[in-house]
């Protein structure tokens, strides 16, 4: 079975046609996951009871269970009350949460089957390095390079149709670009974060990874909406995003940020792939125009400062007192120090220390305060531009998936990788990475739109997929 | 130099920080119960335990209670507020931060007027803010020598208000008076049960001294662990003396937190927490900012009961009660309500006030009871007073009836009837008894006739004794006087 061209709708067509298709397909996909796991280190936990989940949804009506038998993977910072939730950290090894995340509840109620928990940068912090305490996820195209987060790799290799993961500065979209899949970070507040383990609460958003816009749209309709369990989730109408894709995009204007191609470290191949993507958009009758967004390029550091400060506070509960790892010690103070020194990884500790510094009384004026002001400027600037154009297009990441060696040693990856992605988190805007043709490795084209206009992003993404490759809906 | 210092007179400068637990049914950010005294860690959930992935949901009732308290303390109410994280590490703090209104407190610029030896003094309220309580450390043995500690998170997340006064408190006595007045006001509003012994009202004091008349501030100490009104006064008194001693020796007071030791009657320096003093406060991104529009504030204001000061004024004006009566009767909302209710059936304010102050409060005090536990209903007290007016019983018998009523809660008529306490006001019957008494006591009768006026009292007493106190005293006096002419 060629899973890369499969959609949820097609899968359900197969399930309806053959009696045993659901069990057989699910078990094929699970076998594939186990094999891929050995080579690519995608998952932190594969559900040993996966087939039992499949048994339970067998024979369910698609009309009532719109995801019956659809294999979904979850980033390991999204809590399930069954599987471990480790956040890719020694701190949380073997931790099973009493919480079932809102999205997990929605998906499983719809009949989805969870293949397992995918690898991520420790606590989601690290910008798609793909390095956690447990695994280094490898790129599905070239094994010596990173996959970014395991969720993108899981989808690219057909070990699950859908991957849910978090995006605070762009990790989800960057991983999508590295692995050649579609990655949507919806508007802040579109999907409840109940049960997502916080990294940077004001930037974090749960997003969707899939092979195509159609599946992304279908899943978004099922997991979006107000949740009383998360006060930051917003009560805005949830569309039938899948249906929205029937009509072609018409009369749209897309803005290109002036000096996008002068970004340091922009790889030629990425540049070419993006330009080719723009040509395709023009061919569809979409108007492309240049927009001026000088503050936009300050977003990586702005997001890093805010992210670090929030992470420092959010991760203060990992103290060894109530749950998780506890190091041996003689008294309370020592327990804190030892637990956090031994339990957290190096990248994370550096980031948390920076957060402590940036929010300290002494350095608040130099870091946290200006970052907050810059955030407002970036947001205002983008909102103004989005009155002129319907969306903004950029490359997703300036470079192709970096090598495993580089992600481990090069500290400058983080701000560079976030060049184009972090503004959407700061401004709370929806953004989507769609794969575009490149010569050697996958690359991504990012579309960033107005709040709650995921439908437009998906529409353009769907049209791009159709024009660049085989139409998956055929 | 030292000698000069010794002659300087010092005055204390005191500011108070009061924490009050709110009487909401559930905690401030989750649905856990706030009931006091449950088994450790039985009233907890992922939110108040600070487990990863949990989300705080703000309890609107707690916000309203904080607003109500702010209004009762004459504060201005904030129109936009955030819930901010105060970051520090301690074992009783599950999330590693406490959520508090750091940037925009609920109330500011308030005041409380207290009565100090008949003079009114105003203590200004700097601010009132809403926050969450921490858990509780249970030390094994002494806090300093304890080999290990346990943590109870039942209290973690219970809503608190913190009230911070300006340094307007001029003495240890004023501190106690302020605290008592504050408690009365808050009890009126119904937002807290204000039990110091259960920790639902806690008071810390910032104490310093300075040369009398000076307007500078000197090093202060923060006084903790004062668990009753009395210990607040004693603790501060001790601390003022201690600091005065230090200053008179020409030394400087060390700014530190000190622990009041009730048994020893002294304060000692506490081991300082290693918590950083840099709290890195910022608005909690998981709790959305709150707008308090004026219609909401007005709604809460309209729910406020008549407060002690207003009530006291009304009692003085409407009922012409003396200051003292008005103050005592308004010392609790329930007592004032009792008084008001009684007046509905018996509109003699001063008489009712006398009965409440001399009888009711004395019995309550003797039985260590609150007015809320009293078996006598206001209507019944009014009935008793009506019985006196009608002449059915004498004032003296009424006191006996009152005692019965206090014990049993029966109507006064029932008791009077049951015990046969109806006053004898029948002239014929009284004359008959008086004649018997005159016959049985020839000595005193002679004495009286011989000019010893005192003897009349004895004879009246004999009549009362013979009637078991039921004779109408005025009539006995009159009839006896006539008979002995």
């Amino acid at each position: 079975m060629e899973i890369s061209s499969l959609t949820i709708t097609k899968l359900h067509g197969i399930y309806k046609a053959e009696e045993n298709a659901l069990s057989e397909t699910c078990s094929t996909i699970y076998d594939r996951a186990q094999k891929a796991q050995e080579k690519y280190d995608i998952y932190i936990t594969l559900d040993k009871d996966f087939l039992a989940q499949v048994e339970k949804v067998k024979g369910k009506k698609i009309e009532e269970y719109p995801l019956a038998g659809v294999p979904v993977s979850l980033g390991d910072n999204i809590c399930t009350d069954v599987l471990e939730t480790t956040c890719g950290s020694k701190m949380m090894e073997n931790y099973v949460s009493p919480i079932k995340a809102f999205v997990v509840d929605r998906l499983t109620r719809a009949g989805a089957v969870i293949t397992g928990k995918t690898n991520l940068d420790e606590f989601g912090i690290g910008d798609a390095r793909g390095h956690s305490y447990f695994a280094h996820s490898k790129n599905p195209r070239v094994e010596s390079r990173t996959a970014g987060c395991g969720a993108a790799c899981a989808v690219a290799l057909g070990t699950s149709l859908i991957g849910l993961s978090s995006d605070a500065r762009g990790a989800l979209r960057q991983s999508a670009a590295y692995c050649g899949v579609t990655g949507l970070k919806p508007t802040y507040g579109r999907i409840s974060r109940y049960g997502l383990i916080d990294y940077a609460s004001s930037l974090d958003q749960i997003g969707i990874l899939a092979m195509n816009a159609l599946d992304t749209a279908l899943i978004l309709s099922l997991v979006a909406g107000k949740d009383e369990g998360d006060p930051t989730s917003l009560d805005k109408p949830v569309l039938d995003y899948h249906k929205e894709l029937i009509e072609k995009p018409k009369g749209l204007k897309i803005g290109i940020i002036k000096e996008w191609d002068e970004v340091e470290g922009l790889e030629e191949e990425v540049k070419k792939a993006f330009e080719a993507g723009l040509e395709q958009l023009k061919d569809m009758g979409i108007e492309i125009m240049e927009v001026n967004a000088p503050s936009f390029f300050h977003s990586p550091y702005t997001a890093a400062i805010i992210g670090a400060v929030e992470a420092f506070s959010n991760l203060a509960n990992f103290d060894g007192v109530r749950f998780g790892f506890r190091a041996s010690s003689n008294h309370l103070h020592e327990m804190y120090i030892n637990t956090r020194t031994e339990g957290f990884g190096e990248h994370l500790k550096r980031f948390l220390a920076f957060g402590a510094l940036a929010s300290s009384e002494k350095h608040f004026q130099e870091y946290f305060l200006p970052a907050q002001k810059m955030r407002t400027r970036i947001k205002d600037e983008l909102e103004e531009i989005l009155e002129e154009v319907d969306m903004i297009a950029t490359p997703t990441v300036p470079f192709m998936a970096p090598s495993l060696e580089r992600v481990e040693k090069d500290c400058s990856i983080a701000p560079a990788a976030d060049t184009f992605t972090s503004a959407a988190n700061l401004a709370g805007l929806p953004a989507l990475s769609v794969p575009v043709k490149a010569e050697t490795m996958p690359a991504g084209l990012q579309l960033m739109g107005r709040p709650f206009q995921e439908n437009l992003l998906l529409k353009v993404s769907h049209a791009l997929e159709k024009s660049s490759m085989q139409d998956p809906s055929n | 130099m030292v000698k000069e210092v010794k002659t300087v007179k010092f005055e204390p400068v005191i500011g108070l920080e009061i924490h009050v637990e709110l009487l909401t049914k559930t905690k401030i950010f989750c649905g856990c119960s706030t009931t006091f005294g449950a088994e450790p860690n039985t009233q907890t959930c992922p939110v108040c335990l600070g487990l990863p992935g949990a989300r705080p949901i703000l309890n609107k009732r707690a916000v309203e209670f904080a607003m109500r308290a702010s209004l009762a303390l004459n504060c201005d109410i904030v129109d936009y507020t955030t819930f901010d994280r105060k970051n520090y590490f301690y074992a009783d703090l599950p999330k590693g931060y406490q959520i508090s209104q750091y940037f925009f407190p609920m109330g500011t610029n308030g005041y409380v007027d207290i009565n100090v030896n008949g003079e009114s003094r105003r203590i200004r309220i700097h601010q009132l803010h809403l926050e969450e309580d921490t858990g509780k450390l249970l030390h094994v043995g002494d806090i300093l020598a304890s080999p290990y500690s346990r943590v109870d998170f039942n209290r973690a997340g219970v809503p608190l208000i913190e009230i911070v006064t300006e340094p307007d408190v001029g003495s240890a006595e004023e501190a106690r008076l302020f605290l008592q007045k504050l408690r009365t006001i808050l009890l009126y509003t119904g937002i807290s049960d204000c039990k110091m012994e259960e920790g639902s009202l806690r008071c810390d004091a910032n104490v310093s001294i300075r040369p009398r008349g000076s307007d500078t501030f000197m090093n202060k100490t923060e006084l903790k662990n004062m668990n009753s009104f009395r210990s607040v006064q004693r603790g501060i008194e001790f601390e003022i003396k201690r600091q005065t001693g230090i200053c008179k020796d020409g030394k400087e007071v060390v700014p530190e937190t000190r622990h009041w030791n009730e048994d020893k009657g002294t304060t000692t320096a506490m081991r300082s927490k290693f918590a950083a003093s840099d709290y890195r406060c910022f608005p909690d991104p998981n709790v959305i900012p709150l707008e308090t529009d004026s219609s909401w504030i007005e709604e809460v204001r309209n729910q406020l009961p008549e407060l002690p000061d207003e009530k006291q004024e009304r009692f003085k004006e409407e009922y012409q009660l003396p200051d003292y009566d008005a103050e005592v009767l308004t010392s609790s909302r329930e007592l004032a309500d009792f008084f008001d209710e009684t007046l509905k059936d018996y509109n003699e304010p001063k008489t009712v006030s006398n009965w409440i102050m001399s009888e009711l409060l004395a019995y309550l005090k003797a039985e260590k009871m609150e007015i809320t536990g009293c078996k006598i209903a206001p209507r019944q007290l009014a009935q008793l007073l009506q019985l006196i007016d009608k002449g059915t019983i004498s004032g003296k018998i009424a006191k006996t009836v009152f005692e019965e009523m206090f014990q049993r809660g029966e109507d006064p008529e029932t008791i009077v009837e049951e015990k046969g306490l109806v006053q004898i006001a029948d002239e014929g019957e009284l004359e008959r008894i008086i004649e018997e008494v005159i016959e049985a006591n020839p000595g005193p009768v002679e004495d009286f006739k011989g000019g010893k006026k005192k003897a009349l009292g004895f004879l009246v007493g004999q009549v009362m004794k013979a009637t078991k106190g039921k004779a109408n005293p005025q009539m006995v006096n009159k009839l006896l006087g006539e008979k002995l002419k």
Side-chain angles (χ1 to χ4, degrees):
Chain A
M1 188 190 314
E2 187 42 64
I3 291 175
S4 64
S5 65
L6 205 56
T7 63
I8 293 171
T9 314
K10 279 191 203 167
L11 188 68
H12 278 156
I14 299 170
Y15 288 178
K16 272 187 180 167
E18 285 176 57
E19 201 186 333
N20 291 322
L22 192 147
S23 312
E24 280 167 14
T25 309
C26 286
S27 113
T28 306
I29 290 176
Y30 191 69
D31 283 347
R32 186 190 288 242
Q34 282 178 311
K35 282 198 190 94
Q37 173 65 8
E38 283 169 25
K39 202 167 164 191
Y40 296 96
D41 247 351
I42 307 166
Y43 289 87
I44 292 174
T45 308
L46 269 169
D47 187 4
K48 291 185 195 76
D49 296 326
F50 178 76
L51 295 177
Q53 287 185 60
V54 174
E55 278 307 300
K56 277 188 198 158
V57 297
K58 223 166 77 178
K60 299 275 190 206
K61 284 198 180 113
I62 309 296
E63 292 71 30
E64 286 166 45
Y65 295 86
L67 296 180
V70 175
V72 175
S73 66
L74 300 168
D76 210 16
N77 53 355
I78 298 173
C79 294
T80 66
D81 51 358
V82 185
L83 299 172
E84 287 136 32
T85 301
T86 70
C87 293
S89 181
K90 178 182 177 181
M91 193 63 101
M92 296 280 278
E93 194 167 7
N94 302 322
Y95 177 78
V96 178
S97 173
I99 294 172
K100 183 199 264 184
F102 176 83
V103 287
V104 176
D105 189 52
R106 281 282 181 96
L107 291 173
T108 49
R109 272 171 198 273
V113 282
I114 310 295
T115 51
K117 308 291 289 290
T118 50
N119 188 33
L120 73 174
D121 302 310
E122 193 174 0
F123 285 95
I125 302 170
D127 301 273
R129 289 168 193 275
H131 275 212
S132 75
Y133 175 69
F134 304 104
H136 296 178
S137 297
K138 293 163 191 75
N139 193 281
R141 191 78 64 91
V142 181
E143 284 162 62
S144 61
R145 295 187 183 227
T146 181
C149 63
C153 189
V155 171
L157 290 171
T159 74
S160 70
L161 255 67
I162 302 297
L164 254 55
S165 179
S166 68
D167 186 310
R169 291 189 280 159
L172 177 141
R173 284 162 285 157
Q174 290 157 24
S175 306
Y178 295 162
C179 295
V181 301
T182 301
L184 171 70
K185 178 208 89 75
T187 313
Y188 185 76
R190 174 77 291 187
I191 300 175
S192 166
R193 291 181 297 120
Y194 177 79
L196 170 71
I197 296 181
D198 292 80
Y199 147 26
S201 315
S202 76
L203 304 171
D204 276 340
Q205 181 58 64
I206 292 178
I208 303 160
L209 291 148
M211 282 311 290
N212 50 63
L214 284 166
D215 287 355
T216 311
L218 195 95
I219 296 295
L220 183 61
S221 292
L222 290 169
V223 296
K226 175 71 184 166
D227 169 23
E228 294 305 325
D230 175 9
T232 65
S233 69
L234 291 165
D235 193 7
K236 296 279 178 180
V238 177
L239 308 178
D240 184 341
Y241 297 101
H242 197 261
K243 217 172 174 180
E244 291 266 317
L245 300 189
I246 295 171
E247 279 182 37
K248 282 182 184 159
K250 259 183 222 153
L252 291 179
K253 274 188 212 167
I254 294 184
I256 306 301
I257 294 172
K258 207 173 154 186
E259 293 172 358
W260 70 270
D261 52 352
E262 287 171 33
V263 163
E264 208 182 316
L266 178 68
E267 287 177 3
E268 195 56 29
E269 207 180 323
V270 171
K271 193 180 162 198
K272 277 187 184 157
F274 176 65
E275 282 168 338
L278 289 183
E279 285 308 314
Q280 277 177 277
L281 292 172
K282 278 184 199 163
D283 292 344
M284 290 173 208
I286 290 171
E287 190 184 335
I288 306 284
M289 56 192 281
E290 201 174 59
V291 293
N292 203 7
S295 305
F296 180 86
F297 295 102
H298 293 296
S299 48
Y301 286 101
T302 307
I305 293 168
I306 291 169
V309 172
E310 290 184 11
F312 166 74
S313 175
N314 278 331
L315 272 62
N317 55 347
F318 296 91
D319 55 10
V321 175
R322 297 164 313 282
F323 58 87
F325 172 73
R326 179 193 287 183
S328 69
S329 48
N330 294 314
H331 54 79
L332 186 64
H333 194 185
E334 201 180 280
M335 183 171 107
Y336 288 157
I337 292 176
N338 293 355
T339 299
R340 293 169 68 85
T341 303
E342 294 169 33
F344 287 146
E346 291 310 312
H347 270 300
L348 178 57
K349 275 187 281 194
R350 216 174 292 139
F351 194 65
L352 295 180
F354 173 61
L357 175 117
S359 57
S360 66
E361 226 168 84
K362 204 173 157 195
H363 298 286
F364 182 84
Q365 302 277 349
E366 288 165 69
Y367 293 102
F368 195 45
L369 194 65
Q372 296 287 9
K373 286 182 181 161
M374 181 54 79
R375 180 177 196 171
T376 309
R377 248 169 75 181
I378 292 166
K379 189 166 185 266
D380 292 348
E381 195 177 275
L382 288 174
E383 275 171 8
E384 209 173 298
I385 292 169
L386 287 168
E387 280 175 21
E388 297 298 313
V389 297
D390 296 289
M391 55 191 81
I392 296 166
T394 67
T396 307
V397 204
F399 37 77
M400 307 287 191
S403 70
L404 290 171
E405 198 188 348
R406 192 178 157 211
V407 291
E408 196 161 8
K409 289 179 185 156
D410 185 356
C411 288
S412 68
I413 281 191
D418 299 342
T419 303
F420 299 114
T421 50
S422 50
N425 300 89
L426 290 166
L429 302 175
L432 175 148
S433 176
V434 52
V436 282
K437 264 189 203 156
E439 280 165 35
T440 57
M441 291 283 297
L445 181 149
Q446 176 183 244
L447 297 166
M448 184 170 28
R450 298 186 194 111
F452 300 99
Q453 291 196 350
E454 285 83 0
N455 53 332
L456 287 188
L457 303 184
L458 287 163
K459 203 175 263 195
V460 174
S461 165
H462 182 56
L464 268 177
E465 283 167 16
K466 276 178 145 179
S467 75
S468 64
M469 53 182 100
Q470 228 187 352
D471 180 358
S473 59
N474 287 337
Chain B
M1 175 68 196
V2 174
K3 269 185 186 169
E4 276 174 46
V5 174
K6 282 197 173 174
T7 61
V8 173
K9 294 275 186 199
F10 289 97
E11 66 178 10
V13 182
I14 304 161
L16 301 175
E17 289 174 16
I18 300 107
H19 285 92
V20 182
E21 277 182 1
L22 301 180
L23 261 185
T24 53
K25 287 196 182 75
T26 56
K27 294 185 179 180
I28 185 167
F29 292 117
C30 61
C32 289
S33 166
T34 55
T35 314
F36 178 80
E39 281 292 298
N41 297 312
T42 54
Q43 293 170 355
T44 58
C45 74
V47 174
C48 58
L49 285 177
L51 297 189
R55 290 280 175 277
I57 312 291
L58 180 64
N59 181 345
K60 277 273 166 71
R61 191 99 178 121
V63 175
E64 278 185 7
F65 276 16
M67 202 187 285
R68 203 192 285 179
S70 301
L71 291 168
L73 301 179
N74 308 297
C75 291
D76 301 331
I77 306 293
V78 76
D79 55 3
Y80 166 94
T81 185
T82 53
F83 291 86
D84 313 305
R85 293 184 182 180
K86 195 172 157 183
N87 295 284
Y88 67 95
F89 287 97
Y90 203 56
D92 63 8
L93 189 68
K95 297 188 289 294
Y97 55 83
Q98 180 192 30
I99 305 179
S100 174
Q101 287 181 301
Y102 181 82
F103 294 108
F104 307 101
M106 180 60 74
T108 48
N109 294 320
Y111 62 85
V112 169
D113 290 329
I114 57 170
N115 183 344
V116 186
N117 303 320
E119 268 183 50
S120 179
R121 286 260 297 145
R122 177 159 291 187
I123 309 293
R124 290 169 302 157
I125 306 290
H126 175 73
Q127 72 173 59
L128 182 155
H129 61 263
L130 179 61
E131 61 186 25
E132 55 179 342
D133 210 345
T134 61
K136 224 179 198 169
L137 290 184
L138 308 165
H139 301 287
V140 178
D142 182 72
I143 180 168
L144 295 175
S146 181
Y148 61 93
S149 302
R150 297 190 173 105
V151 207
D152 175 11
F153 290 106
N154 283 350
R155 202 180 67 178
V158 168
L160 278 185
I161 49 173
E162 183 177 344
I163 299 161
V164 184
T165 75
E166 297 289 353
D168 290 350
V169 182
S171 69
E173 190 199 5
E174 278 185 31
R176 176 181 56 79
L177 289 170
F178 169 80
L179 205 57
Q180 284 172 332
K181 180 70 177 283
L182 180 74
R183 178 174 181 271
T184 304
I185 295 171
L186 295 178
L187 285 173
Y188 263 67
T189 64
I191 60 143
S192 173
D193 57 13
C194 295
K195 289 182 181 165
M196 283 192 92
E197 67 280 10
E198 288 182 8
S200 61
L201 178 73
R202 309 196 281 271
C203 178
D204 298 338
N206 288 306
V207 181
S208 66
I209 57 165
R210 65 182 171 196
R212 187 169 292 172
S214 153
D215 55 5
T216 54
F217 292 106
M218 288 164 68
N219 284 349
K220 64 180 181 189
T221 57
E222 191 185 359
L223 220 54
K224 288 184 178 289
N225 196 42
M226 300 174 292
N227 300 323
S228 66
F229 293 116
R230 190 166 163 264
S231 57
V232 167
Q233 182 163 351
R234 285 179 69 208
I236 296 174
E237 260 162 17
F238 176 87
E239 191 54 22
I240 293 169
K241 270 190 206 141
R242 190 188 70 87
Q243 292 188 11
T244 307
I246 292 169
C247 289
K248 287 205 166 167
D249 286 344
K251 291 179 193 153
E252 220 179 63
V253 170
V254 180
E256 63 192 352
T257 301
R258 296 183 68 86
H259 193 84
W260 166 249
N261 190 313
E262 183 72 33
D263 301 334
K264 292 180 194 152
T266 56
T267 64
T268 41
M270 251 164 76
R271 174 180 58 167
S272 65
K273 281 184 191 176
F274 49 81
S277 56
D278 185 351
Y279 291 121
R280 301 181 162 86
C281 293
F282 69 92
D284 191 323
N286 285 329
V287 189
I288 46 178
L290 184 76
E291 287 188 30
T292 49
D293 58 32
S294 52
S295 66
W296 189 19
I297 298 172
E298 282 320 300
E299 199 187 309
V300 174
R301 195 192 298 277
N302 291 336
Q303 289 163 7
L304 272 185
E306 186 181 33
L307 294 168
D309 285 354
E310 299 168 62
K311 222 182 248 297
Q312 212 171 313
E313 279 312 304
R314 179 166 67 83
F315 282 10
K316 284 195 274 189
E317 280 179 23
E318 206 175 309
Y319 306 139
Q320 273 81 49
L321 289 183
D323 289 0
Y324 180 72
D325 290 42
E327 196 181 332
V328 172
L329 291 175
T330 55
S331 63
S332 90
R333 183 177 170 179
E334 290 76 14
L335 187 64
D337 286 349
F338 190 98
F339 175 73
D340 265 334
E341 281 297 307
T342 310
L343 288 192
K344 282 184 187 164
D345 293 321
Y346 188 81
N347 197 14
E348 291 291 341
K350 184 57 186 152
T351 310
V352 174
S353 170
N354 288 347
W355 274 83
I356 289 179
M357 298 214 304
S358 58
E359 300 300 315
L360 184 62
L361 290 181
Y363 279 110
L364 288 174
K365 198 177 170 192
E367 299 286 324
K368 292 196 173 79
M369 275 168 63
E370 297 289 330
I371 181 77
T372 44
C374 178
K375 285 182 186 161
I376 302 178
R379 174 187 51 82
Q380 292 174 317
L381 175 59
Q383 285 165 359
L384 180 70
L385 301 180
Q386 282 159 359
L387 289 179
I388 302 173
D389 282 2
K390 277 193 260 173
T392 313
I393 54 172
S394 66
K396 200 172 172 209
I397 288 291
K399 291 188 178 175
T400 315
V401 177
F402 186 90
E403 189 181 355
E404 283 287 321
M405 287 164 71
F406 187 85
Q407 303 300 345
R408 295 160 46 196
E410 291 283 355
D411 280 352
E413 284 94 338
T414 315
I415 294 166
V416 167
E417 211 165 289
E418 188 185 297
K419 304 245 163 187
L421 294 173
V422 177
Q423 184 166 262
I424 303 168
D426 180 80
E427 215 162 290
E429 195 181 346
L430 281 177
E431 271 177 11
R432 188 180 52 77
I433 296 165
I434 286 167
E435 273 162 19
E436 278 172 27
V437 167
I438 289 174
E439 209 163 299
N441 296 283
V445 170
E446 282 309 306
D447 288 348
F448 179 75
K449 287 183 174 166
K452 286 188 180 171
K453 298 290 176 202
K454 262 187 174 173
L456 183 68
F458 173 79
L459 293 168
V460 171
Q462 292 304 304
V463 177
M464 296 312 280
K465 194 177 168 189
T467 58
K468 291 183 181 133
K470 290 185 289 184
N472 181 322
Q474 287 85 23
M475 288 178 73
V476 173
N477 266 321
K478 183 175 146 256
L479 293 172
L480 199 57
E482 282 168 9
K483 292 266 173 208
L484 295 177
K485 254 181 199 165

